[in-house]
Amino acid sequence: MQFHSLNKKAPNVSFAEAVVKGLAPDRGLYFPESITPLPASFFENIENMDNIDIAYEAIKQFVGDEIPEADLKEILADVLSFEFPVVPITDNIGTLELFHGPTMAFKDVGARFMARCLGYFNKDNKGHVSVLVATSGDTGGAVARGFLGVKGVDVVILYPNGKVSDIQERQLTTLGQNIKALRVDGVFDDCQDMVKSAFLDAGITDQRALTSANSINVARWLPQLFYFLFAYKQTKQLGKDIVFSVPSGNFGNICAGIVANKLGLPVKHFVAAVNVNNTVVKYLETGNYEPKASKATISNAMDVGNPSNFIRIQQLFDNNFEDLKSDFSSYSFNDDQTREAMVAIKSGNGYIADPHGAVGYLGLKEYDLSENEYGIFLETAHPVKFGDVVEETLNVTLDIPKQIQGVMDKEKSFTSISTYDELKSYLLNDTDYKN
Ligand SMILES: *Cc1c(COP(=O)(O)O)cnc(C)c1O
């Protein structure tokens, strides 16, 4: 499969090149040249298929012949080695739990898939690539874990000082080996801007091959479409029209859901549920896309003022504003509403949602499901990852799962930076990766 840049000023590339490059040289995001729907029989039989076969059928057209079937299935088996259950919340609402992976964030699947693809492309140990990634919280941990020990790849993670939780910081600063953390004086958007600038800085890229593990990378972005297929597999028998509400920050997850829909997955409507960072909500109201500086909230993994994948969503709707608005809505909620939703969810069937999942739940409430519809909100992080807010809001004490326990007593190790020049000199002077 060929991928083209959405800025249309760079050559088309293969899947492997798109993964290794991350962002196109014209700063555009890579986008598949075509999306061919899966046969109707796939959706007729989906409940009888295992997750690995579902994932293989869905992703193979994007990978093409660059990873042979047996290797791709082995990668998928490794990446998808945990559960993705839909848990009922009310009669017409369920939550798709995406937090059963090693860092208990939904980003584990994308990060692991990308790490294993890069590892595969580097199997002859010829080259070296540095993964540069900005995180608002959960990406860093998932990427760090996913890439730990992968040959020929080292990872540099930028995160905003004081804006990620203690557990999140530990997950990305305690692993060592090929994983380095940079603590940035600034907000997430500053980290993301620095990463984008580094990719375009020949002064760096002439010395050191860089790629991104943010959802701009196709190998991080596309495997997220599996979630929507797994949810359908579990809820198809209800015989209702499915509405997905996705707690959204950079809009990569929901964008992958729309790709699943293009592959033929029956979806009635997509709701992008956001916190007060409401750039897309405003766009749908006014038709003007005006990025803003991000504001800090209790659902901090969604504190994004300029969602990088929104351009891919527009492309999936052929840049037709009316078509987009008929299948896609976006609603914004503040922290008080989020806390109230956490309380409401718990008072129903005792379910404990994290702040991101709670925003997703609010998205379904605002959409107002009809008789024939079943709403699924994506629970993107385990509540313990946002333990302070959850314990204080719900008056509960959370057990720390074993995945998290492992990082709690390790020493944090990071380098502090505040400007792009400091990042640049770090990348040029850190030569550990050459060993
Ligand atoms: C990253 C993240 C999100 C937002 O996902 P996008 O794909 O960036 O929209 C939501 N919730 C959690 C917990 C996350 O880590």
Side-chain angles (χ1 to χ4, degrees):
M1 164 76 66
Q2 293 277 299
F3 289 78
H4 65 267
S5 163
L6 288 179
N7 283 355
K8 301 199 174 73
K9 294 193 186 74
N12 287 2
V13 295
S14 65
F15 175 73
E17 284 171 284
V19 177
V20 171
K21 285 203 166 80
L23 198 63
D26 62 0
R27 288 194 96 143
L29 272 66
Y30 282 118
F31 194 84
E33 273 289 270
S34 60
I35 299 175
T36 308
L38 294 163
S41 58
F42 174 86
F43 295 101
E44 282 155 19
N45 292 324
I46 193 165
E47 64 273 34
N48 304 316
M49 295 171 72
D50 73 30
N51 284 354
I52 295 150
D53 290 327
I54 292 172
Y56 173 73
E57 292 303 323
I59 200 85
K60 71 176 182 195
Q61 66 175 293
F62 302 110
V63 176
D65 54 11
E66 293 164 58
I67 304 178
E69 176 170 343
D71 294 304
L72 184 53
K73 283 194 170 158
E74 200 180 305
I75 291 173
L76 290 168
D78 188 26
V79 167
L80 299 172
S81 59
F82 44 88
E83 299 296 309
F84 305 86
V86 176
V87 177
I89 301 290
T90 66
D91 286 349
N92 60 352
I93 293 181
T95 184
L96 172 64
E97 290 185 346
L98 299 178
F99 56 66
H100 295 281
T103 75
M104 316 209 86
F106 87 91
K107 296 185 173 78
D108 280 325
V109 165
R112 279 147 63 95
F113 184 73
M114 179 181 164
R116 277 151 192 74
C117 287
L118 268 185
Y120 179 85
F121 296 136
N122 195 48
K123 62 186 182 310
D124 307 327
N125 226 350
K126 286 203 195 95
H128 186 99
V129 56
S130 297
V131 171
L132 192 59
V133 63
T135 184
S136 57
D138 276 354
T139 306
V143 167
R145 240 331 248 284
F147 282 84
L148 183 67
V150 174
K151 277 192 312 182
V153 183
D154 73 299
V155 178
V156 179
I157 300 167
L158 284 75
Y159 69 99
N161 187 7
K163 306 253 169 2
V164 305
S165 75
D166 181 56
I167 288 177
Q168 289 174 329
E169 188 174 27
R170 285 179 193 280
Q171 286 184 320
L172 54 97
T173 56
T174 59
L175 292 172
Q177 295 187 48
N178 57 335
I179 313 295
K180 302 272 169 67
L182 298 181
R183 192 174 78 176
V184 177
D185 279 322
V187 294
F188 169 69
D189 293 302
D190 299 317
C191 300
Q192 185 151 278
D193 286 346
M194 284 192 197
V195 166
K196 283 187 183 161
S197 302
F199 287 130
L200 298 202
D201 188 337
I204 298 173
T205 54
D206 287 350
Q207 311 275 320
R208 189 166 177 170
L210 294 183
T211 190
S212 145
N214 284 103
S215 51
I216 55 175
N217 195 301
V218 295
R220 253 290 309 278
W221 166 53
L222 285 170
Q224 302 176 128
L225 68 85
F226 304 154
Y227 303 143
F228 299 83
L229 301 172
F230 298 163
Y232 179 68
K233 167 181 164 176
Q234 297 172 70
T235 51
K236 185 183 155 185
Q237 85 286 353
L238 298 173
K240 294 199 170 173
D241 295 334
I242 296 179
V243 176
F244 282 109
S245 176
V246 185
S248 296
N250 258 323
F251 285 62
N253 201 8
I254 193 165
C255 182
I258 298 167
V259 174
N261 185 221
K262 295 265 160 196
L263 291 174
L265 177 72
V267 179
K268 178 75 181 297
H269 200 78
F270 285 96
V271 176
V274 298
N275 57 31
V276 293
N277 293 284
N278 62 358
T279 302
V280 170
V281 179
K282 290 279 169 230
Y283 170 73
L284 293 173
E285 277 165 22
T286 64
N288 297 324
Y289 185 85
E290 288 168 14
K292 283 179 265 193
S294 62
K295 300 191 190 91
T297 73
I298 58 169
S299 49
N300 67 35
M302 312 198 291
D303 294 351
V304 182
N306 185 12
S308 43
N309 283 287
F310 192 62
I311 184 166
R312 282 185 171 136
I313 293 181
Q314 290 174 298
Q315 185 66 35
L316 286 163
F317 287 95
D318 292 325
N319 295 302
N320 183 315
F321 189 59
E322 296 308 320
D323 286 356
L324 170 68
K325 283 207 293 189
S326 76
D327 290 355
F328 180 95
S329 306
S330 187
Y331 307 121
S332 160
F333 306 95
N334 64 30
D335 284 351
D336 287 341
Q337 292 170 303
T338 306
R339 286 199 182 88
E340 282 162 23
M342 289 163 68
V343 171
I345 296 167
K346 177 152 183 290
S347 67
N349 71 350
Y351 191 84
I352 295 179
D354 97 297
H356 303 78
V359 170
Y361 170 85
L362 285 168
L364 289 175
K365 288 287 166 190
E366 184 75 30
Y367 170 83
D368 199 9
L369 296 160
S370 68
E371 189 74 10
N372 274 327
E373 293 171 340
Y374 188 76
I376 299 176
F377 70 90
L378 278 54
E379 181 43 300
T380 46
H382 190 287
V384 80
K385 305 260 332 248
F386 300 90
D388 293 351
V389 177
V390 174
E391 293 193 342
E392 180 199 302
T393 307
L394 299 179
N395 217 344
V396 292
T397 308
L398 300 172
D399 294 333
I400 300 200
K402 62 177 187 320
Q403 285 104 310
I404 305 287
Q405 211 112 45
V407 297
M408 291 313 283
D409 43 303
K410 293 214 183 100
E411 200 63 32
K412 295 179 192 174
S413 160
F414 55 82
T415 304
S416 294
I417 63 165
S418 49
T419 62
Y420 176 68
D421 285 339
E422 286 175 280
L423 170 64
K424 182 166 177 173
S425 86
Y426 178 87
L427 290 173
L428 293 177
N429 294 314
D430 158 57
T431 48
D432 284 359
Y433 69 92
K434 287 187 174 152
N435 302 327

